[in-house]
Structure formats: structure tokens, C-alpha cells
């Protein structure tokens, strides 16, 4: 601050307090930086330690899964062989080594296919009568090749209560742990083979954890340096106990990502802190220098008062002009004045440029005119057109400004004017253009940029060959539906990053929308080069993706189309790649297909098939048939399931599974579903005894009001009681929005309609998810019943049905083919049954005769 002393001199005040304040503040700032740095280091150490612990826990989980997998696999494989009637005849009744080894029934394939190093057959007397070691027949006895209490294991497997079981225990071979699976050789479910009285022969499979097996575990389950340990290892190893008696353990060296991260980051943090301290000292020194310079400026303030008065005239001349900074040159073009705003915009002090030519600071855009000619133009006319110029600021960034000029005394005294910085305006325009050509989520090219790129290459007079890859993510929709769009967006960003890493700089990667991407490759090289790229992309996409604590497993299908020179067909090329993509999906996904003319024919046939289905609904080619469903406890007919059939003019009779997916893909499912609902309800009104009618509906209908409206319309039109209508919906419906699903279910339940979960257990639903919604029952199909071991594992079916019934759900089993299956289901109190055993689906014309002579249970 400057105060007038009354004698024309000035007195500086505030100098010492300002310096004192700076010196007091600086240590406090340094202390704060030190505390923050220490906190950052502590957080880093905690995070990296947590990473190491998580990596160790994950490797323990993988190791447990590996050992459990070996135990489960050897037991399952041995069960398939030991409960085989042919094995009973050729390995127990008599030992037929020609059948066992030469005919490859229980021979070298056990080693080559399953990796079991030894197979033994032990007779009821305890003698080894058949041996296969490493795929070669041998005369070695089991108790010689194996060490451990083999006799106790044999006695346990021969016990009557374990006759149908597989016993898996740990023995040794040459000091290496070996999983030994033992089971009695029986006829299994084949009643045609008569069993011989007496103790059974035993079949043994042996899996030795030798060096090769440990290397396989290390590779497949990410267990580096896997080995067998007998004592606790060092701290940097992890162990999983294999046997309580021998105290043997599987040991490995788990990954330490946190430790590796500390080795990298801690030195960098130390360097950063050192650099920060140096910078702080430099800032303090610069601040003190600036304070002294400011004091000198205050001291020279009176000398500048007259200069300030002279500058007021300059400001009045240009007051009407809106500007960022002001400039003035003499008649030779040398800068004589720059406003303070100049430093704020350019970073340069005005003193650095005053006295230098203007043309060294500013360069006309595109070099269309020189600064001197432009200034002369301003002197010769009342006003001159603004001039776009570029200059390099102190931060080395090129900026753009718009100059305006006025002559002083017709240019004899020089020129003055304004410089308006328009860099941000031009950058905004460039950003708008960028957004119009790029996807805002991934930053990839969008559809507009894609077509521009294709036009650039295809419309050239001498265009080069071009390959177009259409990529669609596999299993992306379940991720988006179950984890939310936020995670889905991160997945798409990661996919975009992977694609850009695997293509050349000359290639273009675009996102068309959703999870569909396109790669344009000018001069793609040979077909083998393109195959290698597709194989590499598929391999990258199949690797686990870790996002927000979730491990995601995706995949990609790729369709490829080639364009030849002078072939300007951008839309046709995209269509061909799209057709090839669908061919890749049809081939099982996670693969690629190159467009061929035959694929186009298939696509045309598909469109023709869709059109034929539209015509079928108009021309009466569709028919509903009714499959009987019986009530087990009441021993009477419960109702019918309506099933759609198509009398195709070329393919003959088609079941609903053949054409309903086509209707769903082509947008005809709602029309088909409406037709089925109305006809089934109208037919049911003619049945006696208030029988029930059931109908399978699409899970997609639960995401809108379509289903409720059509059911209400069908019931109202036909006059059918709502309690007689049951809707069967696949468990995939539980992937839809739960709130929308619940609203639709409650609305249907308010009408009185019954709703069952169909094909329960074939997808991803749990019984808890079913109970969270107002469903009435569950229907198990033949595949689930077979997987549960309907004919061998009656207790498994019993437990599932009892659990479902205990929570108030009606249980229906479909696909019953034999009386034995029906009797087993009757024994577990299944509610409803249907299938070929009770008769095929009935046409409408057959219903009357069926009711006159019904088939009861």
C-alpha cells in the first residue's frame, strides 16, 4: 500500500507484514503436504496388503476347487464303468482281458482320455486279476503298486451298504499322493444280467499327483510352483491339506500383486515428495522475488502517473470494441504497447514483446496475407476486415485470435487494435464435430463416421480390398440385466479398449449401438491374417473381465465380409457382415464366419420362412392340440396343455419348438400368442367337468401390459372362468425387472389366473427367487428329471419335490414315458403328470371321443 506523506513523496506500508505472513504460511503448507503424503502412503500400504490377502484367498479357493474336481471326477468316471453290466460279465464273472484291453473297453483309453495312471481289478479273494499302468497292460498287483492301507479300502468298498457307492481315499505311489477310487463291479440298472452270489470284484481308478499332474494344476488353476509339502512352508506359500493322517498338503506360491505394486509405487512416491519439496522452495523463493519486484513498482508509481493519463486516450479510442487484449504498433510494425490482459491470455509478460515486430508474435491463418499488408489495408480504409491469426502461448499451446485494427493518423503514427481469443470457440466447434462422428460412451466412431470411412475407401477410383468385421458380444445381455447398465457401460468401454489394442492404426473401430461393433480394415492382408485377427479377438474377449468386484465371462461372435476394388456398396457390405455374424452365432458363438453367397441364400430362406409363418396365421395352417395332464392324488384327468402345430405346405407338420422362435425373432410372437390364447380359451369352454387348460407364454410379455390385456380379452371373449386358465412361463422371466414382473403377476392373479414356472432348473433361477413372486407351481421337464437321476436317484427327486410342495407350490412333471417313471413319481407325491405314457396331444376333432372313453390313471 502507498500512502501520501504530504511532501510529494510516498511511503510504503505493509511490506514487513506481507513478508512475515509468507514466512509463517509456508511451514504450515509444508506440514499439511507432509501429513497428506504420509496418509497417502498409509492408504497405499493398506490397499496393497488387502490385495495380497485377496489374491491368497482366491488361490485357496481355486486349489480347493481343483482337488474337489479330481475327487468328484474320478468317482463319477469310476461309477460309469463299475455299474456297467458288460464290465460285470467280463471282469467279475470271468476276466476277459481281450474285451477289457484289446477292445478298449477298460484299457488305454482310461489313461489317454481321463489321465488315470492305473486301473486295477481285484477279485473277491483279494487278488489283482487285471492291471493297466499308464495305458499299458501290466501284471503288477495293486497292493505292490500302491502303498497304504489298500485292504481296508477294499473291505470298505465290498461292504453291502457301499455296494452301489464309490469310495475315494488317499494312498501313495512312489511317495506321491494318489487319489484311489474303489467300487464294487455290479450290473447297474441292467436287470437282464443275473448276478452271481458272493462278494463282488472291485474296480480301482488311480490318479497320482505326480509332477505332470501338479504342473497341470499350476497351469489350469493359477497355482504357481504347485508341489506337495509335508511340513508348513515359508510365509509366501499357501497350503491346502490333502490328508489328515499323512499331513500332506498341496503347496504353491500365490500371486502378490500388492507387494509388486509397492515395489513400483513407493520409490515413485518418494521421488514425488522430493520434487514437491523442491517445488515448494522454488515457489517461496519466487514469491519473495515477486514481493520485492512489487515493492519497486510501488516506489515508481508516481513516475507512471503521466503515462497512465496518456494511455486513457488510447482506451477511449477502442472503448467501443469488445476485446480480450489490446495492442499498439508504430509505423514499422514494432509493438509499443500490450495490455495487461495479454499476459493472462498468452502467459507472456508485455515487456517480453514490446519492442519486437508484431509479425513475430502473430501468424495469419493459412498464410493468406502478411501482417504488413493487412495493416496497410487498415490505413487505406475506414475499417478493415478482421484477420485470423495463430500464436504459441507460453505453455507451448497454439491458440487462435481474431485481430481488428485502426490506424493512428492514417498510419503515420502506427496502428492500434484488439485481439479476441477464439480458441475455445473453435475447440467447441471441433468438439461438436467430434461428437457427431463418435460414440459418446466409448469414444469410438459412430454410424456416421463408419459410413464416411466406407465411402472414402469404396468410392475411390483405385480403391483397395477392404474387410469389414461385424462383432456382437455373447452373454452381454444377462450382465446388463443382472448387474445394471452402469456395469454394462464399463464392459462396453473395456471391449472398445480391447478392440483398439488389437487393430492397426489404419483400421477404424466403430460402435453401431448396444453391444454391436464394426471394424473396417483397408488392405487386410491374406485370409490367414484375417483369421489370426479373429482368433486373437475371440481369445481376448473370452478372458475373465474383472469390474466392480464382479468377474464376468463374455465372448464374441464375428461376421466378416470382403469388398473388392470398385465395389461401392457400403450398406450391402454391412448386410453381408451381418449375415455372416448370424452364421457365427448359429455355429455356437465364440467363433467367426466369412460371408459366402450361400449365407445370403440362407438369410433369404429365413425371410421367406418368416413370411410363410405370417401367411400361415392368415390361411388357417396353424392348429392347437391338447396334451392330457392328470392329477396323481385324485387319479383323474386334471386338464390339457395347449400346444401349437403348423401344417407347413413344404416341410410337413412342425411342432411349436420349430417355429415359435422364428415368430419371436421376427416380431410375430404377439400375434401368434393372441391367436393361441383366444382359441385355447374358446375350446376349453366346451370341455366337461371344469377341466383346466394351460398355455406356455413368452417371458418377454411380462415387461409390458400386453400379456394382461390379451388374457383379459381372451377370458372375456370366450367366457372361460379365469381359475381354469394356467399360464406356463420359462424361468428366464426372473431376469426381467422384478418390479414390472411383480406388477404383471399380481394383476393376473387378481383376475384369478394361475401361473407356473416352466422348465424349472434348466437356467439360473433358485427356489428363493420363485418364492419372491406369486407363482402357483413348478413344472420339471424330462431333462431335469434325468439330470437328477430319476431312475437311480429317487431320493434327489423326492427332496426337490418335497421342498417345492412344502412351500405351497404345485409340482408338475412332464415327459413321462414309462410306467416305472410314473410309479416313482407317484411314490414322491408329485401333483400332476403328463407325457407319452398317458397319450399324445389330441386334435380338436379327437376331443369328443376322448371324453367318452377317457384314460384314467
Amino acid at each position: 500500500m502507498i500512502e501520501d506523506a504530504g511532501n510529494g513523496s510516498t511511503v510504503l506500508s505493509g511490506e514487513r507484514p506481507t513478508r512475515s505472513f509468507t514466512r509463517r504460511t509456508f511451514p504450515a503448507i509444508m506440514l499439511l503436504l507432509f501429513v497428506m503424503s504420509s496418509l497417502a502412503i498409509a492408504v497405499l500400504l493398506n490397499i496393497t496388503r488387502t490385495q495380497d490377502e485377496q489374491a491368497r484367498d482366491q488361490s485357496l479357493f481355486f486349489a480347493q476347487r481343483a482337488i474337489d474336481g479330481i475327487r468328484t471326477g474320478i468317482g463319477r468316471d469310476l461309477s460309469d464303468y463299475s455299474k456297467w453290466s458288460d464290465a460285470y460279465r467280463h471282469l467279475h464273472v470271468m476276466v476277459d482281458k481281450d474285451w477289457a484291453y484289446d477292445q478298449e473297453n477298460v484299457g488305454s483309453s482310461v489313461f489317454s482320455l481321463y489321465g488315470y495312471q492305473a486301473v486295477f481289478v481285484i477279485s473277491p479273494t483279494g487278488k489283482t486279476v487285471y492291471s493297466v499302468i499308464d495305458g499299458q497292460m501290466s501284471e503288477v498287483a495293486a497292493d505292490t503298486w500302491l502303498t497304504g492301507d489298500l485292504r481296508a479300502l477294499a473291505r470298505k468298498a465290498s461292504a453291502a451298504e457301499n455296494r452301489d457307492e464309490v469310495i475315494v481315499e488317499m494312498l501313495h505311489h512312489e511317495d506321491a499322493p494318489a487319489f484311489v477310487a474303489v467300487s464294487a463291479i455290479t450290473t447297474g440298472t441292467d436287470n437282464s444280467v443275473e448276478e452271481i452270489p458272493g462278494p463282488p470284484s472291485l474296480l480301482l481308478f488311480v490318479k497320482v499327483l505326480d509332477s505332470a499332474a501338479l504342473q497341470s494344476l499350476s497351469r489350469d488353476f493359477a497355482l504357481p510352483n504347485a508341489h506337495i509339502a509335508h511340513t508348513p512352508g515359508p510365509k509366501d506359500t499357501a497350503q491346502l491339506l490333502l490328508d489328515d493322517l499323512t499331513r500332506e498338503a498341496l503347496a504353491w506360491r500365490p500371486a502378490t500383486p500388492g507387494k509388486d505394486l509397492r515395489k513400483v509405487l513407493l520409490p515413485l512416491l518418494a521421488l514425488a515428495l522430493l520434487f514437491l519439496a523442491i517445488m515448494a522452495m522454488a515457489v517461496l523463493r519466487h514469491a519473495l522475488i515477486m514481493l520485492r519486484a512489487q515493492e519497486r513498482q510501488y516506489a515508481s508509481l508516481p513516475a507512471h502517473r503521466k503515462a497512465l493519463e496518456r494511455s486513457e486516450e488510447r482506451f477511449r479510442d477502442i472503448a467501443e470494441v469488445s476485446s480480450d487484449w489490446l495492442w499498439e504498433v508504430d509505423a514499422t510494425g514494432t509493438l509499443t504497447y500490450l495490455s495487461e490482459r495479454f499476459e493472462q491470455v498468452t502467459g507472456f509478460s508485455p515487456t517480453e514483446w514490446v519492442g519486437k515486430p508484431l509479425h513475430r508474435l502473430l501468424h495469419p491463418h493459412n498464410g493468406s496475407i502478411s501482417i504488413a499488408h493487412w495493416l496497410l489495408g487498415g490505413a487505406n480504409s475506414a475499417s478493415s476486415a478482421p484477420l485470423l491469426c495463430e500464436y504459441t502461448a507460453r505453455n507451448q499451446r497454439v491458440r487462435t485470435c481474431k485481430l481488428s485494427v485502426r490506424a493512428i493518423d492514417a498510419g503515420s503514427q502506427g496502428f492500434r487494435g484488439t485481439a479476441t481469443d477464439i480458441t475455445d470457440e473453435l475447440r467447441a466447434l471441433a468438439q461438436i464435430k467430434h461428437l457427431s462422428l463418435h460414440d459418446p460412451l466409448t469414444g469410438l466412431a459412430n454410424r456416421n463416421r463408419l459410413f464416411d470411412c466406407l465411402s472414402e475407401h469404396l468410392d475411390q477410383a483405385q480403391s483397395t480390398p477392404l474387410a469389414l468385421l461385424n462383432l456382437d458380444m455373447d452373454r452381454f445381455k444377462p450382465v446388463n440385466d443382472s448387474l445394471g447398465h452402469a456395469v454394462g457401460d464399463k464392459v462396453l468401454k473395456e471391449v472398445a479398449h480391447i478392440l483398439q489394442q488389437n487393430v492397426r492404426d489404419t483400421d477404424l473401430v466403430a460402435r453401431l449401438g448396444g453391444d454391436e461393433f464394426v471394424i473396417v480394415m483397408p488392405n487386410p492382408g491374406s485370409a490367414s491374417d484375417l483369421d489370426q485377427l479373429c482368433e486373437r479377438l475371440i481369445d481376448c474377449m473370452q478372458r475373465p473381465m474383472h469390474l466392480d468386484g464382479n468377474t464376468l465371462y463374455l465372448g464374441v461372435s464375428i461376421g466378416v465380409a470382403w469388398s473388392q476394388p470398385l465395389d461401392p456398396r457400403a450398406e450391402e457390405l454391412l448386410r453381408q457382415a451381418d449375415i455372416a455374424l448370424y452364421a457365427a452365432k448359429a455355429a455356437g458363438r465364440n467363433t467367426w464366419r466369412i460371408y459366402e453367397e450361400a449365407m445370403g441364400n440362407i438369410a433369404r430362406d429365413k425371410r421367406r420362412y418368416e413370411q410363410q409363418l405370417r401367411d400361415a396365421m392368415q390361411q388357417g395352417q396353424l392348429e392347437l392340440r391338447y396334451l392330457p395332464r392328470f392329477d396323481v392324488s385324485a387319479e383323474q384327468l386334471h386338464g390339457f396343455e395347449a400346444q401349437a402345430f403348423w401344417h407347413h405346405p413344404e416341410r410337413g407338420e412342425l411342432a411349436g419348438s420349430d417355429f415359435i422362435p422364428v415368430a419371436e425373432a421376427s416380431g410375430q410372437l404377439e400375434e401368434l400368442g393372441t391367436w393361441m390364447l383366444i382359441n385355447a380359451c374358446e375350446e376349453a369352454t366346451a370341455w366337461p367337468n371344469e377341466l383346466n387348460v394351460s398355455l406356455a407364454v413368452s417371458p418377454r410379455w411380462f415387461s409390458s401390459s400386453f400379456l394382461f390385456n390379451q388374457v383379459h380379452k381372451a377370458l372375456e371373449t370366450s367366457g372361460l372362468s379365469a381359475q381354469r386358465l394356467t399360464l406356463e412361463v420359462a424361468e428366464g422371466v426372473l431376469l426381467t425387472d422384478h418390479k414390472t414382473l411383480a406388477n404383471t403377476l399380481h394383476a393376473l392373479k387378481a383376475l384369478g389366473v394361475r401361473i407356473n414356472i416352466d422348465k424349472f432348473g434348466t437356467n439360473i433361477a433358485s427356489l428363493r427367487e420363485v418364492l419372491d413372486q406369486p407363482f402357483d407351481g413348478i413344472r420339471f421337464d424330462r431333462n431335469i428329471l434325468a439330470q437328477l437321476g430319476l431312475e437311480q436317484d429317487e431320493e434327489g427327486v423326492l427332496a426337490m419335490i418335497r421342498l417345492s410342495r412344502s412351500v405351497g407350490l404345485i409340482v408338475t412333471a412332464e415327459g413321462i414315458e414309462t410306467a416305472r417313471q410314473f410309479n416313482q413319481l407317484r411314490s414322491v407325491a408329485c401333483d400332476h403328470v403328463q407325457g407319452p405314457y398317458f397319450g399324445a396331444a389330441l386334435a380338436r376333432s379327437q376331443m369328443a371321443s376322448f371324453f367318452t372313453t377317457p384314460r384314467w390313471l
Side-chain angles (χ1 to χ4, degrees):
M1 181 180 296
I2 300 176
E3 297 177 351
D4 192 335
N7 55 3
S9 64
T10 58
V11 177
L12 296 176
S13 65
E15 172 187 348
R16 294 174 183 259
T18 302
R19 289 187 182 182
S20 176
F21 173 80
T22 302
R23 292 191 177 96
R24 289 197 309 270
T25 305
F26 181 78
I29 294 176
M30 291 299 295
L31 177 61
L32 178 61
L33 291 176
F34 175 80
V35 172
M36 293 176 64
S37 302
S38 301
L39 181 61
I41 293 174
V43 171
L44 173 63
L45 293 176
N46 182 62
I47 291 175
T48 54
R49 183 167 55 253
T50 301
Q51 285 182 328
D52 288 342
E53 293 172 357
Q54 291 177 347
R56 186 183 186 92
D57 293 341
Q58 187 179 43
S59 66
L60 283 170
F61 173 76
F62 286 153
Q64 186 66 57
R65 287 192 60 181
I67 298 303
D68 292 344
I70 293 175
R71 287 182 175 273
T72 303
I74 192 172
R76 181 183 62 250
D77 295 338
L78 179 61
S79 178
D80 293 340
Y81 281 88
S82 63
K83 310 310 175 187
W84 183 17
S85 60
D86 285 349
Y88 184 87
R89 287 195 295 266
H90 295 285
L91 294 178
H92 176 64
V93 177
M94 60 175 291
V95 180
D96 186 355
K97 296 183 179 181
D98 177 74
W99 176 88
Y101 186 80
D102 295 336
Q103 297 182 25
E104 287 293 331
N105 287 302
V106 192
S108 60
S109 60
V110 177
F111 174 70
S112 60
L113 293 179
Y114 303 109
Y116 300 135
Q117 290 90 337
V119 178
F120 298 105
V121 177
I122 300 177
S123 68
T125 63
K127 180 181 179 182
T128 303
V129 296
Y130 177 71
S131 303
V132 177
I133 307 298
D134 292 335
Q136 301 295 325
M137 192 161 65
S138 172
E139 297 298 326
V140 177
D143 54 1
T144 300
W145 200 79
L146 294 168
T147 57
D149 197 355
L150 180 60
R151 291 184 179 180
L153 179 59
R155 287 195 300 271
K156 185 176 181 180
S158 300
E161 63 271 17
N162 296 327
R163 189 178 181 87
D164 293 330
E165 302 294 330
V166 176
I167 309 301
V168 181
E169 291 187 3
M170 179 72 72
L171 298 180
H172 290 79
H173 169 67
E174 295 181 351
D175 295 330
F179 288 98
V180 180
V182 185
S183 179
I185 302 175
T186 67
T187 61
T189 60
D190 190 348
N191 298 326
S192 64
V193 178
E194 182 177 353
E195 294 190 5
I196 299 175
S201 294
L202 302 178
L203 180 61
L204 285 72
F205 282 1
V206 182
K207 177 67 176 182
V208 182
L209 291 182
D210 53 14
S211 60
L214 292 173
Q215 288 178 2
S216 177
L217 288 176
S218 178
R219 180 183 63 254
D220 297 339
F221 292 89
L223 304 175
N225 194 26
H227 61 279
I228 301 301
H230 299 274
T231 58
K235 293 182 178 181
D236 60 345
T237 63
Q239 291 188 355
L240 179 66
L241 191 63
L242 297 177
D243 187 74
D244 292 330
L245 297 178
T246 63
R247 307 303 295 177
E248 291 178 310
L250 175 65
W252 66 96
R253 193 178 300 275
T256 56
K259 181 179 179 181
D260 299 337
L261 189 61
R262 289 194 297 272
K263 290 181 179 179
V264 175
L265 291 185
L266 286 178
L268 293 178
L269 280 174
L271 290 175
L273 289 175
L274 178 61
F275 177 77
L276 188 61
I278 295 173
M279 289 298 296
M281 294 298 296
V283 169
L284 176 62
R285 181 173 177 274
H286 180 72
L288 294 175
I289 292 174
M290 292 299 294
L291 284 173
R292 286 194 291 269
Q294 189 179 35
E295 291 165 5
R296 288 194 297 269
Q297 290 178 358
Y298 285 159
S300 61
L301 183 60
H304 294 286
R305 286 181 178 175
K306 291 185 178 180
L308 181 61
E309 293 173 355
R310 288 194 299 269
S311 69
E312 289 178 355
E313 181 181 1
R314 303 188 189 105
F315 284 104
R316 282 194 298 270
D317 290 340
I318 59 176
E320 72 224 44
V321 182
S322 176
S323 63
D324 279 344
W325 49 276
L326 312 177
W327 56 271
E328 184 178 304
V329 297
D330 58 19
T332 64
T334 301
L335 284 164
T336 59
Y337 169 77
L338 289 169
S339 66
E340 293 182 1
R341 179 70 173 163
F342 172 80
E343 183 174 5
Q344 298 177 20
V345 175
T346 66
F348 295 110
S349 172
T351 57
E352 296 181 59
W353 281 99
V354 170
K356 296 179 181 179
L358 179 62
H359 65 81
R360 290 179 56 186
L361 173 64
L362 303 175
H363 309 283
H365 184 67
N366 295 330
S368 57
I369 188 174
S370 68
I371 291 288
H373 283 87
W374 180 71
L375 291 175
L376 291 176
N380 298 329
S381 61
S383 62
S384 179
L387 179 66
L388 287 183
C389 292
E390 295 172 347
Y391 65 93
T392 303
R394 182 177 289 278
N395 59 10
Q396 300 302 311
R397 293 185 179 180
V398 177
R399 300 187 68 86
T400 304
C401 63
K402 183 170 62 175
L403 292 186
S404 60
V405 63
R406 283 192 178 184
I408 304 175
D409 292 337
S412 61
Q413 298 297 318
F415 303 87
R416 64 168 62 105
T418 62
T420 304
D421 192 289
I422 60 172
T423 305
D424 293 338
E425 180 182 346
L426 294 179
R427 187 178 294 121
L429 292 174
Q431 180 69 14
I432 292 172
K433 182 178 180 181
H434 177 84
L435 292 176
S436 68
L437 297 175
H438 292 80
D439 174 47
L441 176 63
T442 62
L444 299 178
N446 61 11
R447 187 179 296 271
N448 295 333
R449 178 69 186 97
L450 172 65
F451 276 92
D452 289 345
C453 177
L454 291 175
S455 299
E456 291 172 7
H457 291 285
L458 296 177
D459 293 345
Q460 294 177 1
Q462 297 181 352
S463 60
T464 57
L466 180 137
L468 186 72
L469 282 67
N470 193 352
L471 303 91
D472 190 78
M473 302 306 301
D474 299 329
R475 298 185 296 276
F476 174 75
K477 188 177 185 301
V479 171
N480 216 23
D481 292 340
S482 59
L483 299 180
H485 292 286
V487 175
D489 289 346
K490 292 182 180 179
V491 170
L492 293 176
K493 292 180 182 178
E494 182 65 21
V495 169
H497 177 68
I498 293 173
L499 295 181
Q500 288 178 310
Q501 284 186 321
N502 285 276
V503 299
R504 306 167 301 180
D505 293 338
T506 56
D507 300 335
L508 177 74
V509 182
R511 178 184 176 222
L512 296 187
D515 57 347
E516 186 176 1
F517 298 84
V518 170
I519 299 177
V520 180
M521 301 184 65
N523 290 316
S526 64
S528 62
D529 294 335
L530 199 59
D531 290 343
Q532 291 177 6
L533 172 63
C534 293
E535 185 175 356
R536 186 167 67 250
L537 290 174
I538 290 174
D539 178 65
C540 291
M541 293 303 178
Q542 284 183 315
R543 297 172 186 171
M545 189 177 296
H546 305 284
L547 292 173
D548 291 351
N550 301 294
T551 301
L552 309 177
Y553 295 89
L554 304 175
V556 66
S557 300
I558 306 175
V560 183
W562 286 80
S563 172
Q564 299 304 321
L566 300 177
D567 189 12
R569 301 177 301 155
E571 293 184 356
E572 177 63 16
L573 197 61
L574 282 169
R575 188 188 70 85
Q576 292 176 0
D578 193 55
I579 292 174
L581 173 63
Y582 279 100
K585 286 182 175 292
R589 301 177 183 268
N590 280 327
T591 185
W592 74 93
R593 289 293 183 268
I594 299 177
Y595 175 79
E596 299 175 354
E597 190 63 32
M599 293 181 183
N601 296 334
I602 293 173
R604 286 190 292 273
D605 291 343
K606 181 181 177 182
R607 290 194 297 271
R608 181 169 175 267
Y609 190 44
E610 293 173 355
Q611 184 58 46
Q612 287 178 334
L613 180 57
R614 286 190 179 89
D615 296 339
M617 285 187 279
Q618 303 297 328
Q619 298 173 6
Q621 297 176 4
L622 299 181
E623 174 193 10
L624 282 182
R625 296 182 187 173
Y626 301 91
L627 182 67
R629 179 178 295 178
F630 291 89
D631 189 320
V632 177
S633 60
E635 296 189 351
Q636 65 181 11
L637 182 67
H638 173 73
F640 297 88
E641 179 185 0
Q643 298 180 344
F645 291 84
W646 180 8
H647 299 285
H648 195 280
E650 299 170 3
R651 304 186 184 184
E653 184 175 278
L654 301 177
S657 59
D658 295 324
F659 62 87
I660 289 179
V662 176
E664 186 169 6
S666 60
Q668 305 177 63
L669 189 59
E670 291 190 357
E671 183 180 356
L672 178 61
T674 300
W675 176 84
M676 293 176 64
L677 270 171
I678 293 176
N679 280 271
C681 290
E682 289 180 348
E683 175 65 21
T685 56
W687 298 343
N689 303 327
E690 299 293 319
L691 295 175
N692 179 273
V693 61
S694 64
L695 187 71
V697 296
S698 171
R700 291 188 178 183
W701 294 342
F702 283 81
S703 61
S704 66
S705 60
F706 168 79
L707 181 61
F708 175 80
N709 294 337
Q710 294 306 316
V711 169
H712 185 270
K713 178 181 177 181
L715 293 175
E716 189 176 52
T717 303
S718 64
L720 181 71
S721 173
Q723 289 75 15
R724 295 178 57 191
L725 176 62
T726 300
L727 301 179
E728 312 273 1
V729 56
E731 64 176 353
V733 72
L734 296 173
L735 292 176
T736 60
D737 179 65
H738 284 195
K739 183 177 181 181
T740 304
L741 172 63
N743 292 338
T744 304
L745 290 175
H746 284 292
L748 291 170
K749 296 291 291 180
L751 289 177
V753 175
R754 297 179 179 273
I755 305 172
N756 292 347
I757 282 288
D758 193 13
K759 303 185 185 304
F760 177 72
T762 59
N763 201 348
I764 49 86
S766 65
L767 188 60
R768 169 52 53 195
E769 291 177 299
V770 174
L771 295 177
D772 286 340
Q773 303 294 345
F775 291 110
D776 296 288
I778 294 179
R779 181 165 70 166
F780 299 98
D781 70 355
R782 66 185 69 189
N783 295 326
I784 284 298
L785 296 176
Q787 291 173 9
L788 292 173
L790 179 58
E791 303 201 7
Q792 300 179 13
D793 189 11
E794 183 176 339
E795 291 303 319
V797 178
L798 175 62
M800 180 172 262
I801 292 178
R802 280 180 174 171
L803 180 60
S804 300
R805 298 192 72 207
S806 68
V807 293
L809 296 173
I810 297 174
V811 177
T812 303
E814 69 170 1
I816 308 304
E817 298 179 350
T818 64
R820 182 179 179 181
Q821 288 179 327
F822 171 57
N823 290 331
Q824 287 178 316
L825 288 171
R826 183 197 293 253
S827 68
V828 297
C830 182
D831 295 295
H832 300 151
V833 291
Q834 65 185 68
Y837 176 68
F838 306 103
L842 302 171
R844 187 173 185 178
S845 59
Q846 298 174 305
M847 296 295 289
S849 60
F850 179 84
F851 288 128
T852 57
T853 56
R855 176 179 176 179
W856 309 117
L857 295 178

